[in-house]
Amino acid sequence: MRLLSLFAITASTLPIAVYAAEPHSYAQPDQVLVTHLDLDLTIDFPQQQLDGQATLKLNWKNPKAPSLVLDTRDLKIASIESVSADGKTAPLKYALASRDKQLGSKLTIATPTHPSQVRIVYTTVPEASGLQWLTPSQTADKKLPFMFSQSESIHARSWVPLQDSPAIRFTYTAHVTAPKDVRVAMSAINDAHHPLDGKFDFDQPHPIPSYLLAIAAGDLAVKETGPRSAVYAEPSVVGKAAHEFEDTEKMIATAEGLYGPYRWGRYDILVLPPSFPYGGMENPNMTFATPTVLVGDKSLVSLVSHELAHSWSGNLVTAASWRDIWLNEGVTTYVQGRITEALYGKGLADEESLLSARALEKDIGTMPANAQKLAPDPRGVGADDSLSAVAYDKGSWFLRTLEQRFGRDTFDTYLKSYFNHFAFQSITTEQMLAYMKPNLIEKYPGKMSWSEAQDWVYGTGIPKDAPLPDSPHFDAIDKERSAFLSDTLTADKLDAKGWNTQEWMYFLDRLPDVTPLPKIKELDAAWHLTGTPNAEIGMRWYTHAIDSGDKDVWSAAAEHMTRIGRLYLTLPLYKAFAKTPDGLAYAEQVYAKAKAGYHPLTQQAVESIFASAKTADK
């Protein structure tokens, strides 16, 4: 990707080179841009499909463009027609290309008259990669079926035909028809008091990229957590969720104090069933969240501060391509830490920063050189692959370094100006750096050289002078872990009664990759880690125990894997089991039972682990 124009970039002058370099979309926005989407959807739970009508408002960039090209995946197209400015319609010829495994099917619509709008009637398939359909038995309350979307990274195309690239932003409205006992929610303003009458209307007036298009429907109750926030969840979960997230309004106010007004109106949280494949998804106006953070002590609510932070870094200022995704995730992880520090103290924020930094230090050297860069060469990197620890943790580490070098007040002022300057735009790494150079690096000389900043972004590994926070609690845990491993301290004498979730995570993270089995047994006897309801601790514990050969934990590990579909908390166990023939056979049995409750993305990831293990054995 060539270096883009460095200054005076606005939404209307977003460089064509940004669009042309997007390798994960068939769209041709240099020819025509989708500026608004009008959706009409009917939710069909028995058939596990959406019956859709998508009307796309178009801005023709090239007066000679012969066609409109859209992204789709496994959509059944019924008809396509033009809609003129006066509302008249006419059928259009189109061609749906053969399916590419990664990109789906290119939809080319012949548009010789350049209509102002195009309308597509279609249906989704039950296996749509961006949707999950759950039977009542797969939900918490076992009462009604449930459906939710996960559009990031390039899965919106599996439930709406559109230009599925983060560089392209559009507003949208939607009318959704559902069974009368079902509540529907979308990534727009939601009405907590909407009657369950089977008819829902939504309006998203701010231009968003396609990966932030979201929908969910099911047995949802609502509890307000503030004047502009509420929690949506199944009735048996909503009370617990509202208690866990009762500080949401404080988080919004804290972020506003740092980086300017919250521009989206409401900020609601939807707690999904356990099969949700991610920790959280920052869909505008309504974060989709995993129930695995509901541990009762608010120790994992940094997930909410992370998703809220995306309201500035990601949703307001968006990476123009998946290669640039650190602009979303790295900046957001930094802002998350600032919100956590303001509400819960510097100690907790520092512990979370150290956890991620130490994990990245351990793993980054094993990654391919290109994957170690914040802004990698996009060739050969899948859109989903870009959401790595490098984007989150190296990105946030870079911003913490900038804060240390320039001072917090100066860096806060800069970051606030960055959000304002690029508000509601999609930008590249090069555009971000072009803004940073005159407004931070050169404005305050002697703090950080331009070559140092570029090395963070384009270099491999972690710069040697990267700062790390101090954590006396973690230092004490390091000493206790060493004493335990050297047999000078027994497990029952560990000073762990007061450890919070992050401290247990740290203790487990830095155990040897293969801890001696007697040590695993001793830890479990003293602290009863097998069967823990805390999924963060459970993931780490079961992985260590499996690697150490402790078959006594297998059944509890299987329960964890079956109950939780979140990729981050489930895949490490599958990988640990897949290291041995007996473990692989057991994991396949677990998966056969759990598969129906997993999201398509989780299914794909688990099956890839199995395939890799079998290939390695040959």
Side-chain angles (χ1 to χ4, degrees), residues 19 27 41-42 119-120 184 198 211 220 252 345 374 500 566 571:
Y19 298 133
L41 299 172
T42 298
R119 180 171 295 144
I120 305 163
V184 180
Y211 75 88
L220 292 173
I252 299 172
L374 285 179
N500 62 23
R566 183 178 171 187
L571 295 189

Side-chain angles (χ1 to χ4, degrees), residues 84-106:
S84 64
D86 60 4
K88 294 181 179 179
T89 62
L92 293 174
K93 294 181 180 180
Y94 63 92
L96 190 64
S98 58
R99 187 184 193 274
D100 177 87
K101 183 178 180 181
Q102 299 298 324
L103 301 183
S105 299
K106 178 181 181 180

Side-chain angles (χ1 to χ4, degrees), residues 100-370:
D100 177 87
K101 183 178 180 181
Q102 299 298 324
L103 301 183
S105 299
K106 178 181 181 180
L107 176 61
T108 304
I109 305 168
T111 49
T113 62
H114 287 187
S116 59
Q117 298 181 79
V118 166
R119 180 171 295 144
I120 305 163
V121 179
Y122 66 97
T123 58
T124 64
V125 299
E127 302 80 19
S129 64
L131 299 175
Q132 183 167 20
W133 301 86
L134 301 174
T135 64
S137 64
Q138 294 170 319
T139 66
D141 290 357
K142 319 296 183 188
K143 182 181 176 183
L144 296 175
F146 204 104
M147 179 275 296
F148 64 89
S149 67
Q150 174 54 39
S151 294
E152 191 179 30
S153 52
I154 56 171
H155 302 283
R157 65 190 68 181
S158 73
W159 64 283
V160 182
L162 37 60
Q163 293 177 318
D164 196 10
S165 164
I168 302 162
R169 306 178 73 109
F170 55 89
T171 55
Y172 81 84
T173 56
H175 176 74
V176 184
T177 303
K180 289 191 176 181
D181 48 359
V182 163
R183 183 180 299 278
V184 180
M186 291 194 75
S187 53
I189 295 291
N190 289 267
D191 178 4
H193 305 289
H194 193 291
L196 302 184
D197 58 4
K199 304 291 183 183
F200 293 82
D201 291 286
F202 301 93
D203 178 22
Q204 178 52 267
H206 300 297
I208 65 169
S210 55
Y211 75 88
L212 294 178
L213 190 65
I215 188 170
D219 184 14
L220 292 173
V222 188
K223 274 189 176 291
E224 301 279 351
T225 54
R228 49 183 169 171
S229 63
V231 169
Y232 290 61
E234 291 184 71
S236 67
V237 178
V238 72
K240 183 179 181 181
H243 172 72
E244 201 85 3
F245 302 144
E246 65 185 1
D247 294 335
T248 299
E249 188 64 36
K250 294 179 183 177
M251 289 184 179
I252 299 172
T254 298
E256 286 183 316
L258 290 168
Y259 306 118
Y262 178 75
R263 308 191 195 201
W264 302 87
R266 288 191 61 84
Y267 178 76
D268 297 325
I269 301 170
L270 169 62
V271 179
L272 290 167
S275 59
F276 183 51
Y278 296 110
M281 182 62 213
E282 65 272 16
N283 300 312
N285 299 108
M286 178 167 279
T287 282
F288 284 18
T290 172
T292 59
V293 300
L294 303 179
V295 294
D297 62 0
K298 300 183 184 178
S299 61
L300 298 179
V301 295
S302 57
L303 177 137
V304 176
S305 56
H306 182 93
E307 306 310 333
L308 170 64
H310 271 302
S311 301
W312 286 262
S313 47
N315 298 5
L316 185 66
V317 182
T318 305
S321 75
W322 298 107
R323 169 259 192 179
D324 303 301
I325 200 62
W326 77 276
L327 297 178
N328 289 19
E329 299 300 350
V331 179
T332 289
T333 303
Y334 169 80
V335 173
Q336 163 199 324
R338 295 293 305 279
I339 296 171
T340 298
E341 177 181 329
L343 289 180
Y344 304 109
K346 188 173 186 298
L348 179 60
D350 286 348
E351 287 185 352
E352 292 186 340
S353 295
L354 269 174
L355 271 171
S356 64
R358 292 302 189 195
L360 184 63
E361 280 181 324
K362 179 180 178 181
D363 295 339
I364 196 167
T366 67
M367 300 176 184
N370 191 47

